[in-house]
Structure formats: structure tokens, C-alpha cells
Amino acid sequence: SQTIHQWPATLVQPVGSPLSLECTVEGTSNPNLYWYRQAAGRGLQLLFYSVGIGQISSEVPQNLSASRPQDRQFILSSKKLLLSDSGFYLCAWSRGQEDTIYFGEGSWLTVV
Amino acid sequence: AQTVTQSQPEMSVQEAETVTLSCTYDTSESNYYLFWYKQPPSRQMILVIRQEAYKQQNATENRFSVNFQKAAKSFSLKISDSQLGDTAMYFCAFFTPYGNNRLAFGKGNQVVVIP
């Protein structure tokens, strides 16, 4: 069966520090991968998605970036965090464009 | 752009009772998929049920069922025999393969099951 894991689960970072959230999917190949952010009391906002290694599409202009160095690995990064980057980040995957999107456990980021 | 609307902010239901959550969406596409996701206090987003727009039959998954009205662009979720573990935020979501791989979410409905 397929599983998705992301880490760290919780992160407290000072303003201006770098960020790296990692996500891996097991049990499938060439998945579509996604990074979502959920601000407090709100729905989910798509940040990035990838249909293959090195192929990243950005939905929202910001100081975050994403990379896909391996088929089943997706990384969310920032060189300098802002207070507004605080939130709950969810990695997700799907088998194709017509399939269900499944989410990881999520990562809480608090920028102080 | 597709929009998803959920209008009931919070609902309480007694254990073993039934609760219905409403969702409407707006799209010009004919081929799309609708989902209900559940987000318990752990914050993990869990798929509850999925409906393909080309299917007339309403999807059912154990105690969860939907009422899909394509012409009205309505997609409600019914939770039967509510259990304490059903306490969560429920999100309605829309996906079209002709879009940009964006899963559009509603703002969510908080459901609290009371013992």
C-alpha cells in the first residue's frame, strides 16, 4: 500500500532563518506531489505541485520554493522565513490527474 | 476559476444521530470530481468520500453518503449513526483534470459529536 510521510511534525523558527520540510511517498512511482498551506481557521491553499522530477509549478508568488530531487521526494524550502509563513503545511500525492489526492500528517510551522 | 462554498460554520450532533453538511460549487466543466475530507484535531486530512461527476449514483462509504445534484451544483454529506470519532472539520473539495491540478477547497464545517 502507499504511504506518505512528512517531517518535521513541528517546527519553531525565528524570522529570517531558513526552512526545509521534507516529504516522501512509498509504494508508488511517478506520483504527482503537492504542497498545501492551511492558515488558522481557513481552508487549504495550494503552494506547489509537481508531475515529475525537476518539474515544479508554483501557484502563489512568495518567498517559499519547492524541489523534487527524486521521484518520490518533495521538499519545501525558504531562505528567509517571514512571520506570515506560519501555518500548517501539508504534503500530498496522487497517482494522476484524475485520481484522489492523499495527504501526509502535516507540519506545524511557527515563525517567531 | 472553480469555487466551493460551505455555509454552516459549526454543527453539533448527538451521538448516534444523523447530520448533513451542505456544499455548493461553481464550475463550467462537465468532467470533475468531488470529495469530502475530514480533518480531526490531529490535523491530518483524511479522505471520507469521492464522487465522479459522470456517475449519477450517489457515493456511499459505510456511514457516510452524499447527495449529488449535478444540475444544482450541490454536494451534501450525510453522516449517519454519528460517533465521537466523527468530531472534526469537514472540507468539501472540487477537482477537474482540465485545471492546473488544483484541488479547490471550501472553508470547512466543524462537526462536534456530543455523547
Side-chain angles (χ1 to χ4, degrees), chain A residues 21-97:
Chain A
L21 299 179
E22 291 195 35
C23 171
T24 59
V25 179
E26 299 294 334
T28 188
S29 59
N30 196 32
N32 289 345
L33 296 171
Y34 309 82
W35 278 110
Y36 284 84
R37 177 170 59 196
Q38 186 178 28
R42 297 185 179 182
L44 275 69
Q45 177 187 38
L46 178 63
L47 302 176
F48 300 96
Y49 72 93
S50 171
V51 298
I53 295 175
Q55 301 177 61
I56 309 294
S57 295
S58 173
E59 291 294 307
V60 182
Q62 57 204 333
N63 68 319
L64 298 173
S65 63
S67 61
R68 184 170 179 172
Q70 299 181 42
D71 181 46
R72 292 170 289 148
Q73 183 184 23
F74 206 24
I75 298 171
L76 182 68
S77 304
S78 174
K79 292 182 179 179
K80 290 185 178 182
L81 284 168
L82 305 173
L83 287 175
S84 58
D85 291 325
S86 293
F88 189 62
Y89 290 81
L90 284 156
C91 183
W93 76 276
S94 68
R95 273 183 285 265
Q97 291 191 20

Side-chain angles (χ1 to χ4, degrees), chain B residues 5-66:
Chain B
T5 303
Q6 296 176 251
S7 56
Q8 303 146 298
E10 181 165 332
M11 303 179 75
S12 297
V13 59
Q14 291 286 338
E15 200 172 4
E17 296 294 311
T18 296
V19 62
T20 301
L21 310 179
S22 62
C23 171
T24 58
Y25 57 94
D26 184 28
T27 184
S28 58
E29 300 290 345
S30 59
N31 184 24
Y32 53 87
Y33 302 81
L34 295 163
F35 305 88
W36 279 98
Y37 283 89
K38 163 185 174 181
Q39 189 177 41
S42 67
R43 298 301 295 268
Q44 183 166 6
M45 196 70 73
I46 302 167
L47 175 69
V48 174
I49 201 164
R50 158 193 165 119
Q51 174 81 43
E52 293 90 340
Y54 63 84
K55 289 187 177 179
Q56 292 186 339
Q57 186 173 5
N58 289 324
T60 299
E61 194 70 42
N62 299 318
R63 298 181 294 106
F64 299 89
S65 61
V66 299

Side-chain angles (χ1 to χ4, degrees), chain B residues 40-113:
Chain B
S42 67
R43 298 301 295 268
Q44 183 166 6
M45 196 70 73
I46 302 167
L47 175 69
V48 174
I49 201 164
R50 158 193 165 119
Q51 174 81 43
E52 293 90 340
Y54 63 84
K55 289 187 177 179
Q56 292 186 339
Q57 186 173 5
N58 289 324
T60 299
E61 194 70 42
N62 299 318
R63 298 181 294 106
F64 299 89
S65 61
V66 299
N67 183 4
F68 174 46
Q69 301 292 325
K70 190 171 184 178
K73 296 181 181 176
S74 170
F75 184 60
S76 62
L77 174 71
K78 183 170 78 172
I79 307 173
S80 304
D81 186 24
S82 297
Q83 300 177 2
L84 296 178
D86 295 332
T87 293
M89 184 74 82
Y90 287 81
F91 291 94
C92 180
F94 172 99
F95 178 82
T96 173
Y98 307 111
N100 54 359
N101 291 296
R102 178 192 298 267
L103 190 64
F105 282 85
K107 292 187 177 180
N109 296 127
Q110 178 66 50
V111 172
V112 177
V113 180

